[in-house]
Amino acid sequence: MDLQEMLDQAATGDVHVEEGWGQGRATFGGLVGGLLVSAMLPRVPEAASLRSLTVNFVAPVAPGAAQAEVDVLRSGKSATQVLATLRQEGAPVAVALGAFGAPRESAISVAATAEAPQLAAPETIEPFPYIAGMTPDFFQHLEMRLADGGFPYSGASTSHMDGWMRFRQAPPTFDIRHFVTLVDCWPPAVVQMLSELKPGSSMTWTLEIVDDVTAEPDTHWAYSVRTDTAEGGYAHTDARVWHPDGRLVAISRQTVAVFG
């Protein structure tokens, strides 16, 4: 079963999480987020688009059967708030709150202040390799090309990453479900500061969609992440995502647990 089939399944409430999307002992968080959004969408008015998504990774999501439960907390004239819970063997493994909103008239318009980084063309940068048994399983599906910053576990003095991302094999279409799945592909920015392999995982992830993410399925998206602070085994990061045409389309924030 490929990504598209899993996303389509999740919209029905029952999904089989496939092998090959692992990240340590858990399933890749981006896929978890994409499945939860897929479950939400049938319950949301067509005119409303995803504005903000907050995901809490409660427990490792394992390959196998999962159930997505959706509760529409409120649906008004413009805004709809939706809670989705992914369960395995009856226990919650991930919870997401989605805020959807239809466009409305407003006198306020503020252009994005964050400028896209000046990156070398993606074709000139080698992607992170996928090496079975050494790199995360999901690397075989997602492509990251690091333009600035350090590689994971390289003992770097930096804590930022700039680069490009896309699917290695383009899906048949590309919509908000695919975008959510893709955006979380980068490793925690702080693990580049470690000189040996130590686990690190996202505890919470908030994604704010600020512009249309419609694009060709094989589009390279520009990504830039900075570490705001890290102390006591927890790091807090702030990232931006740009469409190749230069539009800022998303803001991504994470709280990361680092075991090392």
Side-chain angles (χ1 to χ4, degrees):
M1 185 185 306
D2 62 16
L3 171 63
Q4 190 64 52
E5 291 173 306
M6 283 191 284
L7 293 174
D8 291 342
Q9 270 194 0
T12 71
D14 292 307
V15 59
H16 183 87
V17 181
E18 282 294 305
E19 299 269 3
W21 285 86
Q23 183 177 16
R25 63 193 184 99
T27 296
F28 163 53
L31 176 59
V32 174
L35 296 175
L36 288 166
V37 170
S38 292
M40 294 177 183
L41 289 175
R43 306 287 300 276
V44 176
E46 187 174 342
S49 57
L50 183 65
R51 305 289 172 164
S52 176
L53 177 73
T54 300
V55 182
N56 279 43
F57 301 100
V58 179
V61 177
Q67 298 75 44
E69 301 174 356
V70 177
D71 184 13
V72 178
L73 303 179
R74 185 178 185 276
S75 187
K77 290 179 61 177
S78 299
T80 299
Q81 302 273 355
V82 184
L83 178 68
T85 303
L86 192 68
R87 295 181 181 273
Q88 289 189 311
E89 298 183 352
V93 289
V95 179
L97 181 64
F100 296 78
R104 65 179 83 185
E105 292 186 7
S106 175
I108 298 173
S109 177
V110 179
T113 57
E115 296 183 0
Q118 299 299 307
L119 306 178
E123 297 80 8
T124 67
I125 306 170
E126 286 294 320
F128 283 7
Y130 167 64
I131 304 172
M134 294 185 64
T135 59
D137 289 345
F138 78 88
F139 275 26
Q140 65 188 298
H141 304 292
L142 298 166
E143 178 186 286
M144 293 145 282
R145 298 174 184 259
L146 182 66
D148 191 26
F151 288 98
Y153 309 108
S154 62
S157 60
T158 53
S159 62
H160 70 275
M161 287 179 168
D162 295 334
W164 300 98
M165 59 184 172
R166 68 172 178 175
F167 289 101
R168 288 186 185 268
Q169 182 173 353
T173 60
F174 191 96
D175 57 37
I176 187 61
R177 301 171 299 166
H178 304 88
F179 184 79
V180 170
T181 302
L182 177 65
V183 168
D184 192 40
C185 66
W186 291 85
V190 290
V191 301
Q192 65 186 280
M193 305 182 76
L194 298 173
S195 56
E196 59 180 315
L197 186 63
K198 296 285 186 179
S201 62
S202 300
M203 296 178 65
T204 63
W205 174 32
T206 301
L207 181 65
E208 301 169 22
I209 308 297
V210 300
D211 206 335
D212 182 21
V213 299
T214 303
E216 293 299 320
D218 62 348
T219 293
H220 283 99
W221 299 84
Y223 178 87
S224 180
V225 61
R226 298 294 182 270
T227 300
D228 290 328
T229 183
E231 196 69 48
Y234 298 91
H236 303 269
T237 63
D238 182 78
R240 302 289 186 272
V241 183
W242 289 267
H243 190 279
D245 65 11
R247 288 181 294 115
L248 177 70
V249 295
I251 301 167
S252 178
R253 310 176 200 273
Q254 293 196 33
T255 298
V256 180
V258 182
F259 303 90

